[in-house]
Amino acid sequence: MFLSAILFGLLGSFHCVGMCGPIAFMLPIDRQNKTKGFLQILSYHFGRLFSYSLIGLLFGFLGKGFYFFGFQQQLSIIVGVSMILMVIFPRFFSKINFSKGINKVIFKVKNALGKELKKKRNDTFFTIGFLNGFLPCGLVYMAVFGALATTNAFSGSLYMFLFGLGTIPLMTSVVYLGNFTKGTLRKKIQKAIPVVVVFIGVLFVLRGLGLGVPYVSPAPVIDVINANEICH
């Protein structure tokens, strides 16, 4: 499952370039001092990873509740089916609007992000990355589904961290080279993303079914108490 997070990030970063690429390209990095510029970009990525990890922590904690009450397998199936449906019926899910409260939060995040892009302090890049991580993104939502299907807060946080880690190579290239992913290559990758999402969705469904296949669909762990055991 953690491998799926990295795969999500690597292929999903082509989608991220379209959504967050302009932000990365507009970073006020020091292009004269290469070492300083690299550290500034690194700080930006740390900010994104931190926000992703916090989101994963929250949804991993929620996932732990499902695990505690014995609904982990059902949740894994629901998550997998949801991923597949989002690919098959994208227009339907795109019509689902956020509540007014969430829209207000997103507006404030975008407003704060715009202000930070005008600054050049040492902490600016981390803050930009941190705020960037909370912007609405379809691929992030799917990664959140993965975090929700984990068994505890740490696993959920790690899942989102690995997702963010997978986006770093391409997002870093955008900072230095601009949007170089136009053309045939980008189209091919964009076509591959839905296939990968469906594949990962199928993995989640198989995991929930508990078919006894090692690593792919392990049998559910059932705690059995021996009635003959004598407690001292």
Side-chain angles (χ1 to χ4, degrees):
M1 288 298 102
F2 290 121
L3 182 61
S4 73
I6 298 177
L7 192 61
F8 249 143
L10 285 171
L11 289 178
S13 57
F14 281 85
H15 172 80
C16 295
V17 166
M19 298 296 292
C20 303
I23 296 174
F25 188 63
M26 289 171 59
L27 288 175
I29 61 172
D30 189 338
R31 298 186 182 273
Q32 302 299 322
N33 188 328
K34 293 183 178 180
T35 302
K36 184 178 180 181
F38 176 77
L39 292 175
Q40 289 171 337
I41 294 171
L42 201 62
S43 179
Y44 162 72
H45 287 314
F46 274 134
R48 287 197 308 119
L49 292 176
F50 185 59
S51 59
Y52 288 154
S53 297
L54 285 179
I55 293 171
L57 190 73
L58 172 61
F59 283 91
F61 181 77
L62 292 175
K64 182 180 179 180
F66 287 105
Y67 178 74
F68 180 79
F69 289 104
F71 296 125
Q72 187 63 25
Q73 284 183 268
Q74 292 90 330
L75 177 63
S76 185
I77 294 173
I78 292 171
V79 166
V81 171
S82 298
M83 287 181 175
I84 296 171
L85 290 177
M86 287 181 75
V87 172
I88 298 175
F89 304 107
R91 292 183 180 179
F92 173 77
F93 286 93
S94 64
K95 292 179 181 180
I96 300 176
N97 296 320
F98 290 101
S99 67
K100 292 183 179 180
I102 296 178
N103 278 328
K104 287 182 180 179
V105 172
I106 292 174
F107 175 78
K108 289 182 178 180
V109 169
K110 289 182 177 180
N111 190 37
L113 191 57
K115 291 179 180 179
E116 288 296 327
L117 284 169
K118 298 177 182 179
K119 302 176 182 178
K120 292 186 178 181
R121 298 198 308 263
N122 291 330
D123 63 337
T124 297
F125 300 90
F126 180 87
T127 305
I128 292 173
F130 180 77
L131 294 171
N132 192 168
F134 288 101
L135 290 178
C137 173
L139 265 298
V140 173
Y141 297 156
M142 292 188 185
V144 165
F145 279 154
L148 183 63
T150 59
T151 57
N152 56 68
F154 174 77
S155 295
S157 182
L158 179 60
Y159 192 95
M160 290 299 293
F161 177 85
L162 292 175
F163 165 77
L165 204 63
T167 67
I168 287 179
L170 191 60
M171 290 295 288
T172 301
S173 300
V174 168
V175 176
Y176 286 111
L177 304 176
N179 192 357
F180 65 95
T181 59
K182 296 179 179 179
T184 306
L185 176 62
R186 181 173 182 176
K187 290 180 180 179
K188 289 181 178 179
I189 296 296
Q190 290 284 16
K191 289 180 179 179
I193 292 175
V195 177
V196 173
V197 171
V198 170
F199 174 73
I200 294 174
V202 170
L203 285 181
F204 274 107
V205 171
L206 290 174
R207 178 193 178 198
L209 292 175
L211 301 176
V213 181
Y215 302 107
V216 177
S217 184
V221 178
I222 302 174
D223 295 327
V224 179
I225 301 176
N226 189 346
N228 296 324
E229 184 178 351
I230 300 175
C231 299
H232 298 283

